[in-house]
Amino acid sequence: MKNIKRNSINKRLKVIKMAEKLTNISEACRKLRVSRTQFYDYKKRFAQEGPKGLLIRPPVHKSYPFSIPDDNKDKIINYALGHPKYGCHRLSKALKGAGVGVSGATIQKILKKQNLETSRKRITEIENNFTKHRTDLSKEQADIIEARNPCFRERDNASSVPGELLCHDLFYLRDLKGNVRIYIQILLETYGGFVIALAHEYHHPTFLGEFLNRHVVPQYRDWGINIKAILTDQNDGFYSEKRNN
């Protein structure tokens, strides 16, 4: 066992000394078949601890990222949900200010364990929690959800019967090849929460009216439901000319 320890120290010390002698780290690493990452690790450990720092160390147990206190894990998850657009490294910096010192990689592993490792998953989780439990939302959370799901803007517009209040909105979806710009119209039934949607490349008030007359009104007529009111967004697409504020 002592010989193994001595050999490991000598091998690692050899590459450090060779790099100093050749004044060429890459050449020393190539000759002794050591990666540059390993070399800098050896050099740092030798500078800090001397020869003992070059001993072979046992691998870090896979459960290490989750060995932090449960309170800190809860803080990490709650902070990530509070700022769902933050990346893991940005979360790491922010959490240090709150007294939780963890790396971005550790945060990523903790969030992945909760199926929250991407901003999309975190936004979905926030929206689902609101839908099920009517949890309080910060302005940041609400703005992010509304940007992804425009129907969410009408979350406070409740109605007592179907057809009492419909919300009609238009927003840009994406560009296709050939400079084709795609928009999507959404009509939200505030009573049941279901949506009628139509994607198209037009952006004109007459087409918005056709969407209602051809798709929405006939469907409600078939259901035997009277439409009492339709709330539209203050979008220029709903008017024949841009209005001056």
Side-chain angles (χ1 to χ4, degrees):
M1 180 64 71
K2 289 182 179 179
N3 288 336
I4 294 175
K5 290 182 178 180
R6 190 180 301 112
N7 290 338
S8 69
I9 292 174
N10 291 339
K11 181 180 178 181
R12 295 173 177 187
L13 189 57
K14 185 177 180 180
V15 70
I16 295 173
K17 291 182 176 180
M18 182 178 286
E20 293 175 351
K21 182 178 179 180
L22 298 176
T23 64
N24 189 321
I25 294 173
S26 296
E27 183 66 13
C29 291
R30 185 184 65 78
K31 287 187 175 183
L32 295 178
R33 297 182 179 181
V34 174
S35 70
R36 290 175 64 91
T37 300
Q38 287 176 313
F39 170 81
Y40 286 114
D41 181 49
Y42 299 158
K43 185 177 180 181
K44 180 180 179 181
R45 286 159 57 180
F46 181 72
Q48 293 177 344
E49 305 175 43
K52 289 183 179 180
L54 299 179
L55 286 170
I56 297 175
R57 294 177 174 176
V60 178
H61 195 276
K62 289 184 179 180
S63 65
Y64 166 74
F66 303 101
S67 64
I68 64 174
D70 289 341
D71 287 346
N72 284 354
K73 284 196 291 186
D74 291 340
K75 288 179 181 178
I76 291 169
I77 294 169
N78 290 334
Y79 199 92
L81 290 173
H83 307 278
K85 283 286 190 178
Y86 281 21
C88 289
H89 291 294
R90 187 176 180 185
L91 286 170
S92 176
K93 291 181 179 179
L95 283 163
K96 284 179 181 178
V100 182
V102 288
S103 68
T106 299
I107 291 174
Q108 176 73 3
K109 290 178 181 179
I110 291 172
L111 294 178
K112 188 173 183 179
K113 190 77 172 179
Q114 303 297 322
N115 198 28
L116 297 171
E117 70 273 20
T118 67
S119 61
R120 180 181 292 274
K121 289 182 178 181
R122 293 193 288 274
I123 295 169
T124 300
E125 178 70 10
I126 296 166
E127 187 173 356
N128 288 341
N129 285 339
F130 177 85
T131 302
K132 294 177 182 178
H133 310 296
R134 301 298 290 186
T135 52
D136 293 333
L137 297 177
S138 67
K139 185 178 185 303
E140 177 183 350
Q141 290 173 319
D143 288 346
I144 290 172
I145 296 174
E146 288 174 5
R148 193 182 76 160
N149 177 14
C151 292
F152 194 72
R153 300 170 188 166
E154 315 304 336
R155 59 190 177 276
D156 295 324
N157 290 327
S159 53
S160 57
V161 294
E164 184 176 28
L165 177 62
L166 311 182
C167 296
H168 187 195
D169 206 349
L170 168 76
F171 68 98
Y172 161 75
L173 184 61
R174 61 176 299 182
D175 285 334
L176 299 180
K177 291 182 179 180
N179 294 323
V180 178
R181 177 158 289 192
I182 300 299
Y183 297 87
I184 186 167
Q185 289 190 66
I186 290 179
L187 187 123
L188 170 69
E189 167 59 72
T190 60
Y191 178 77
F194 70 85
V195 167
I196 300 175
L198 178 67
H200 54 83
E201 61 180 287
Y202 304 102
H203 186 186
H204 193 275
T206 57
F207 193 77
L208 299 177
E210 289 178 3
F211 168 67
L212 295 175
N213 291 330
R214 293 184 181 181
H215 300 281
V216 178
V217 174
Q219 182 63 70
Y220 272 76
R221 186 181 298 119
D222 290 343
W223 288 335
I225 299 174
N226 293 324
I227 298 175
K228 296 182 179 180
I230 298 177
L231 177 66
T232 63
D233 185 25
Q234 293 186 358
N235 187 310
D236 289 334
F238 288 98
Y239 304 92
S240 59
E241 295 182 356
K242 291 186 177 182
R243 298 173 300 168
N244 294 322
N245 294 327

